[in-house]
Amino acid sequence: MSRVYNFSAGPAVLPEEVLREAAEEMLDYRGSGMSVMEMSHRSKTYDKIIKDAEADLRELMNIPDNYKVLFLQGGASQQFAMIPMNLMKNKVADYIVTGQWAKKAYQEACLYGKANKIASSEDKTFSYIPDCSDLPISEDADYVYICENNTIYGTKYKTLPNTKGKPLVADVSSCFLSEPVDVTKYGLIYGGAQKNIGPAGVVIVIIREDLITEDVLPGTPTMLRYKIHADNESLYNTPPAYGIYICGKVFKWLKKMGGLEAMKEYNEKKAKILYDYLDESKLFRGTVRKEDRSLMNVPFVTGNEELDAKFVKEATAAGFVNLKGHRTVGGMRASIYNAMPMEGVEKLVEFMKKFEAENL
Ligand SMILES: *Cc1c(COP(=O)(O)O)cnc(C)c1O
């Protein structure tokens, strides 16, 4: 068996320890005689798995009691519709468009009401986060929407927008649990699990209770109502049971690693190794405004497409895989989520230095 250094943006690397534990429990989960995959989601054994997962997530993020945690399906993209369907009481919402995912969410919201694009960084290929300290927030906006970490472009909000009292809704798919968050600053936080938490198929929504109501847009399907899932503690129907089990293991791993403060410190150190090299390199350069750089997704280019392709090819052969940039941006992107060890980034930088010496 040989594991590679996997820099995929998602589905992405998971802690090896978690995978080993899951492998050990695959055929017989703790004396139950079956895999978690084969188990009733109404069983006592499974109930403990999902309850523990929620409790550990609450502890990690310090989630206040007036927020519900929901384990849902449909990917982060399903939330692009579910959010307006449930929260657009006045049929007005403000969107800050900082990348493809925010843009898709904005376009989806346009199907349900008046979505206003109040700021955007599209003028410079989404390479920065706009100043959000005094935006023209609509008086009757039901919420203000952001994508907090832009997976494709590698930008991250270092300060949350001033929403002038409106609930903030944030897609945190690619920065979930990468650093501490003050949950009270948000109305709703959500993310797909497959970037930084677990397997694809799980979406986690953390939502303030007063935003969960029966007053949803007419025609909203039962399965797309937050209230149904909140009232049934994420067990209205069969949840993505195995995926939640793996997420739960990652939460335990994060607790063992020292929680989100420790993860932040680790992630900062790890990202710095790569950014410092990009800043001094004569061949490679980062594509994002320095103050907006993400700790999780690091896009970079040589400025020469052929050389980019050569780099990706040689890196793959050397065991550094999935470094090709998103199809809409080109170049390279190293996603260095929580589970990417420091050593992976150190070795990648060594490899880049060697490539630079050979190709400059
Ligand atoms: C990957 C990603 C999505 C889309 O996730 P799906 O689960 O494929 O729908 C949405 N937002 C962000 C920030 C992402 O990184």
Side-chain angles (χ1 to χ4, degrees):
M1 186 203 73
S2 98
R3 303 256 307 156
V4 292
Y5 288 115
N6 180 6
F7 294 93
S8 169
V13 58
L14 286 171
E16 195 167 308
E17 203 179 307
V18 165
L19 298 176
R20 283 183 193 284
E21 220 180 86
E24 270 165 32
E25 292 172 348
M26 181 60 82
L27 295 182
D28 176 6
Y29 178 75
R30 301 186 186 178
S32 65
M34 62 180 91
S35 163
V36 172
M37 239 181 280
E38 303 170 297
M39 197 174 276
S40 165
H41 59 293
R42 309 273 176 214
S43 66
K44 243 180 147 167
T45 310
Y46 191 75
D47 198 58
K48 180 162 167 47
I49 291 174
I50 192 168
K51 293 281 184 338
D52 282 357
E54 176 173 342
D56 287 334
L57 179 63
R58 283 187 175 275
E59 188 183 325
L60 278 168
M61 291 182 73
N62 196 16
I63 301 174
D65 289 342
N66 64 326
Y67 285 75
K68 290 277 189 202
V69 172
L70 309 175
F71 295 102
L72 307 178
Q73 312 194 46
S77 302
Q78 176 90 283
Q79 294 305 309
F80 298 169
M82 204 162 162
I83 288 161
M85 284 174 149
N86 284 269
L87 303 188
M88 262 190 179
K89 318 284 183 207
N90 300 327
K91 292 199 164 211
V92 180
D94 289 345
Y95 279 71
I96 303 173
V97 176
T98 52
Q100 296 292 351
W101 296 119
K103 193 173 177 178
K104 283 191 172 164
Y106 161 73
Q107 286 165 342
E108 188 72 15
C110 289
L111 301 175
Y112 301 101
K114 190 167 175 295
N116 304 304
K117 196 194 288 182
I118 56 167
S120 164
S121 53
E122 195 162 13
D123 60 331
K124 290 184 183 152
T125 345
F126 299 121
S127 60
Y128 69 102
I129 299 289
D131 177 4
C132 299
S133 56
D134 185 20
L135 294 173
I137 308 285
S138 314
E139 215 152 276
D140 50 354
D142 293 302
Y143 58 89
V144 176
Y145 183 101
I146 62 167
C147 177
E148 194 162 330
N149 184 81
N150 296 280
T151 325
I152 298 175
Y153 300 94
T155 58
K156 158 109 207 290
Y157 285 80
K158 302 294 159 79
T159 335
L160 293 175
N162 174 4
T163 65
K164 303 182 181 172
K166 305 297 181 196
L168 178 65
V169 171
D171 175 356
V172 300
S173 294
S174 49
C175 60
F176 226 150
L177 304 181
S178 62
E179 55 184 274
V181 244
D182 181 355
V183 175
T184 63
K185 294 202 167 122
Y186 304 79
L188 188 157
I189 301 176
Y190 79 95
Q194 75 273 23
K195 307 287 161 67
N196 208 14
I197 298 183
V202 183
V203 184
I204 300 172
V205 174
I206 301 163
I207 177 171
R208 213 174 59 212
E209 272 170 356
D210 61 286
L211 297 173
I212 306 174
T213 67
E214 274 169 24
D215 175 24
V216 297
L217 296 188
T220 300
T222 308
M223 271 295 285
L224 298 189
R225 296 170 187 227
Y226 290 126
K227 189 159 191 326
I228 277 284
H229 295 288
D231 288 350
N232 291 279
E233 302 187 307
S234 301
L235 291 165
Y236 168 68
N237 70 326
T238 319
Y242 193 81
I244 294 168
Y245 153 77
I246 299 289
C247 291
K249 285 200 180 301
V250 172
F251 301 154
K252 292 227 185 292
W253 176 79
L254 286 167
K255 280 171 67 177
K256 213 173 90 186
M257 295 289 285
L260 301 191
E261 282 291 351
M263 269 338 284
K264 179 180 188 213
E265 218 175 281
Y266 191 75
N267 288 329
E268 280 174 347
K269 262 194 209 155
K270 202 165 63 180
K272 189 172 185 303
I273 296 170
L274 185 49
Y275 283 125
D276 281 354
Y277 169 62
L278 289 173
D279 288 343
E280 70 176 43
S281 169
K282 296 201 166 52
L283 183 66
F284 299 103
R285 63 176 175 83
T287 55
V288 166
R289 187 166 75 177
K290 279 189 191 174
E291 55 266 43
D292 301 323
R293 283 170 164 178
S294 164
L295 290 180
M296 298 281 103
N297 310 96
V298 184
F300 56 95
V301 294
T302 64
N304 173 335
E305 271 179 43
E306 270 169 43
L307 208 50
D308 286 351
K310 183 170 182 234
F311 174 77
V312 170
K313 195 169 160 221
E314 290 183 13
T316 306
F320 306 100
V321 310
N322 290 319
L323 281 165
K324 197 172 184 312
H326 189 267
R327 58 196 148 78
T328 60
V329 209
M332 280 73 69
R333 170 180 48 172
S335 294
I336 50 174
Y337 297 119
N338 284 345
M340 171 59 65
M342 192 79 72
E343 180 197 77
V345 176
E346 285 164 355
K347 290 200 170 154
L348 172 67
V349 168
E350 263 172 55
F351 179 82
M352 290 169 76
K353 284 182 178 164
K354 186 169 145 278
F355 184 89
E356 174 168 350
E358 290 165 0
N359 290 276
L360 199 66

